[in-house]
Amino acid sequence: MSAIDEEKADVKSHDVRAVHALDKDQQRKYDAAATFLVDLSLRPDAETLMAPWTEAEERVVRRKIDMIVLPLTTISLLLGGVDKVALGTSATFGLKTDLNLVGQQYSWANSIVFFGAMLTVFPQSWLVQRFPTGKIFAINVFLFGVMSFATIGAKNAGGLQTVRFLLGMCEGLNTSGAGIVISMWFPKEQQGWRTVLIFNTFSSVVNGLLSYAVQFYTPTALLSRWQLLYLCLGCVSVVFGVIDWFCLPANPTMAWWLDDRQKYIAVQRVKHNQTGMINHTTKLEQVKEALLDIKTWIYFLICITLNIPNGGLNGFYSIVISGFGFTTKQTTLMNIPTGVISWVASMFWVTMAKYTRRPLLCAAGSVLVCLAGAIALKIVPKTNIGGSLAAIYILEMYWAPYMVFGQLIMYANVAGTTKKVAVFGISYWGYCVGNLVGPQSFRSSEAPNYPTAYTVMLSGYCVSIALLALYGFICWRDNRRKVAQEAEAQDARTDDDMVVADEWKDLTDKENPLFRYTF
């Protein structure tokens, strides 16, 4: 019998054995899926609604999720990314001159976004847990647009940095929000390429195409090219914020475009993730566990080291490329391949992780490729334009290790809604710190070679490899302990424990005896 067949045969006998609805204390304690399943089991048509489903039924549900949840989440995060990378193109359109930016003021305009994100990551994460996820996404995407409009009105460094800080506050949602969406809608085996798609690097592609189109506009005293770019981005973000509000549901049990039978299938699809769907109660004991778990701080440190190139290249790629002697139009067009390279590399390594079932080794392999690019960029003379371009394009694969480890492995290895919120938030702090260090390592006094920046990238990748090895050992050790934990839990199980299955009790990865770490 296949794993899918076993799951379907197991549904009625294992998930719900309730004879009455969950009380308020149980609803606060358990996952939202538990409340839904218990209520469903008490309906007169429960036997029909909760019967084993067919492959055809599951395909319909999966197709609906892929056609609605996946694109809306993807575009929501994409728009936040475009807003960030547009600053680099705007610099080539005269933003630095128009706003009289000198010294490190431009670097700080890149970095300050992440201070805003760090300030709001936990409030935003709490909002995602407490309120309907789709509504929180919608508000933030709408505000992306508002901040783009506000950028048009910036007159100096202070005004630009203020708007960028507020933009960062809207982006504190990204990692926690997307992580919760991925884990509540997709089984582990289906998360790989969907995670890469959601956390795509197409922001540079969209920015490159828009920027190229904007160059055909003749600037006026009323509206410059870089201001037109932000005007276009603002309009798109506002429209998609409204679409998110009406179409992106809080969770599978609240999706208006699924009937009750399809909601049941959507919930059961993620059952064997053992990470739960969502619980709306903040549990302090899970926060404590997250803070004391060494894996949390490995996520944090690796997210720092893997995102130093992200912050630096996003803000300075156009400047570095223009330093090779390319025109503004050529520089704009050369922004486009970077996003494609990053995305293809991410998809390749995630696919390798899926089929080899060795995600940690794949993460290490992708780090080594980026390390080679950083070494080449440091030692190849800038007079060798072809070699320098090849090196920088190799380094643009930096998103791959972050996708395999910082998202795919982390999302699969953290359970319990409050613990997810805490861990994802801390890891996002690491992401922000890396993005803060990146731009600051590009010293204006070292242009156009930037030796300090490339040395910092090299050091970060070397530290990443050591941390990946430590993480693998800890997961291997903890999985061995889980075998004994599961045996003890089976011996101690009572009839009351069987009312709701373990996967819907909002247990953390450490508490759930059935949980196994992916590495």
Side-chain angles (χ1 to χ4, degrees):
M1 182 179 287
S2 69
I4 293 177
D5 292 335
E6 288 177 358
E7 178 180 338
K8 293 174 183 176
D10 181 50
V11 163
K12 286 182 63 180
S13 62
H14 181 62
D15 282 303
V16 179
R17 292 181 171 82
V19 294
H20 56 79
L22 299 180
D23 60 36
K24 290 184 178 180
D25 287 339
Q26 290 174 315
Q27 290 179 20
R28 284 193 292 267
K29 179 180 179 182
Y30 295 147
D31 196 285
T35 302
F36 171 76
L37 292 171
V38 168
D39 290 346
L40 205 63
S41 71
L42 298 174
R43 288 176 47 166
D45 55 351
E47 188 170 348
T48 301
L49 291 173
M50 303 179 73
W53 61 88
T54 65
E55 294 290 346
E57 286 181 300
E58 185 169 356
R59 278 197 301 271
V60 171
V61 173
R62 184 173 66 244
R63 190 178 301 115
K64 283 188 174 184
I65 295 171
D66 283 342
M67 293 297 290
I68 298 175
V69 175
L70 190 59
L72 289 178
T73 309
T74 299
I75 294 172
S76 296
L77 268 67
L78 172 66
L79 291 172
V82 175
D83 286 339
K84 287 204 294 288
V85 301
L87 188 65
T89 308
S90 297
T92 65
F93 285 166
L95 176 140
K96 294 174 71 174
T97 302
D98 291 350
L99 302 189
N100 300 312
L101 303 184
V102 295
Q104 291 295 106
Q105 288 179 336
Y106 175 76
S107 294
W108 279 111
N110 274 284
S111 297
I112 203 166
V113 171
F114 300 99
F115 283 109
M118 291 175 70
L119 178 66
T120 61
V121 60
F122 288 107
Q124 288 266 32
S125 300
W126 178 80
L127 290 172
V128 169
Q129 179 182 7
R130 183 68 181 83
F131 299 102
T133 307
K135 299 295 187 287
I136 303 302
F137 264 95
I139 293 171
N140 280 275
V141 173
F142 186 89
L143 290 175
F144 290 166
V146 173
M147 291 303 107
S148 292
F149 294 145
T151 304
I152 298 172
K155 302 299 182 184
N156 51 42
L160 178 64
Q161 290 169 6
T162 299
V163 173
R164 300 280 292 174
F165 180 80
L166 295 173
L167 174 65
M169 292 179 68
C170 301
E171 294 186 4
L173 163 77
N174 288 3
T175 297
S176 296
I180 289 174
V181 167
I182 290 168
S183 62
M184 77 164 64
W185 286 98
F186 303 106
K188 281 185 181 181
E189 63 273 13
Q190 295 178 14
Q191 289 178 8
W193 71 264
R194 290 171 175 84
T195 300
V196 175
L197 183 61
I198 288 172
F199 286 94
N200 66 79
T201 51
F202 293 154
S203 56
S204 61
V205 178
V206 175
N207 176 60
L209 292 172
L210 276 175
S211 300
Y212 184 73
V214 164
Q215 291 195 68
F216 292 95
Y217 164 75
T218 302
T220 66
L222 183 64
L223 193 69
S224 65
R225 281 177 177 160
W226 66 266
Q227 289 174 322
L228 178 60
L229 176 61
Y230 276 105
L231 179 63
C232 295
L233 292 176
C235 291
V236 174
S237 295
V238 166
V239 169
F240 270 96
V242 174
I243 294 173
D244 277 348
W245 182 272
F246 291 104
C247 297
L248 188 59
N251 61 65
T253 71
M254 304 291 288
W256 58 265
W257 35 266
L258 295 176
D259 61 32
D260 288 339
R261 169 70 171 168
Q262 291 172 335
K263 290 176 183 177
Y264 173 74
I265 295 171
V267 169
Q268 291 295 342
R269 275 166 32 92
V270 299
K271 166 185 172 180
H272 288 295
N273 287 357
Q274 295 293 335
T275 56
M277 195 171 68
I278 194 165
N279 175 278
H280 297 294
T281 302
T282 300
K283 300 179 179 179
L284 295 180
E285 65 273 16
Q286 291 193 10
V287 175
K288 180 180 178 181
E289 181 179 311
L291 293 174
L292 296 178
D293 191 342
I294 187 174
K295 291 189 289 296
T296 300
W297 301 106
I298 293 177
Y299 297 137
F300 172 74
L301 292 173
I302 289 184
C303 284
I304 293 176
T305 57
L306 293 183
N307 281 287
I308 291 173
N310 185 11
L313 292 177
N314 272 347
F316 283 85
Y317 174 83
S318 295
I319 295 174
V320 172
I321 293 296
S322 63
F324 293 152
F326 294 105
T327 66
T328 300
K329 280 190 178 181
Q330 289 171 331
T331 299
T332 301
L333 287 173
M334 293 178 73
N335 271 291
I336 297 175
T338 61
V340 177
I341 290 169
S342 293
W343 187 80
V344 170
S346 300
M347 188 62 73
F348 171 79
W349 285 107
V350 165
T351 303
M352 288 286 290
K354 176 181 178 180
Y355 287 105
T356 63
R357 304 183 70 178
R358 295 290 185 272
L360 203 61
L361 286 178
C362 290
S366 61
V367 170
L368 290 175
V369 173
C370 295
L371 181 62
I375 292 172
L377 196 58
K378 186 174 177 63
I379 65 176
V380 171
K382 296 301 175 283
T383 53
N384 183 348
I385 295 177
S388 296
L389 278 176
I392 203 168
Y393 282 145
I394 292 173
L395 191 56
E396 284 289 345
M397 298 181 185
Y398 65 83
W399 200 239
Y402 181 59
M403 279 293 94
V404 178
F405 182 84
Q407 306 299 324
L408 192 62
I409 293 177
M410 180 178 70
Y411 287 162
N413 281 351
V414 183
T417 302
T418 302
K419 184 176 181 181
K420 286 182 197 175
V421 166
V423 173
F424 296 168
I426 291 171
S427 75
Y428 190 71
W429 267 0
Y431 169 86
C432 291
V433 171
N435 277 278
L436 284 168
V437 172
Q440 298 307 315
S441 66
F442 281 80
R443 311 300 298 176
S444 58
S445 59
E446 296 179 344
N449 294 324
Y450 300 111
T452 300
Y454 304 139
T455 300
V456 171
M457 291 181 195
L458 281 169
S459 303
Y461 283 133
C462 291
V463 172
S464 294
I465 292 173
L467 290 171
L468 288 172
L470 175 61
Y471 181 83
F473 169 76
I474 292 172
C475 287
W476 171 80
R477 180 202 66 188
D478 288 352
N479 278 351
R480 294 191 66 182
R481 293 175 175 174
K482 283 286 183 180
V483 176
Q485 182 186 359
E486 182 178 358
E488 292 174 2
Q490 291 293 342
D491 293 339
R493 192 179 294 275
T494 65
D495 290 340
D496 289 340
D497 294 327
M498 302 299 287
V499 172
V500 174
D502 287 341
E503 56 266 22
W504 305 129
K505 290 181 178 178
D506 194 43
L507 300 175
T508 67
D509 48 279
K510 287 183 175 292
E511 293 171 336
N512 187 349
L514 302 177
F515 190 93
R516 296 295 184 273
Y517 294 100
T518 298
F519 69 99

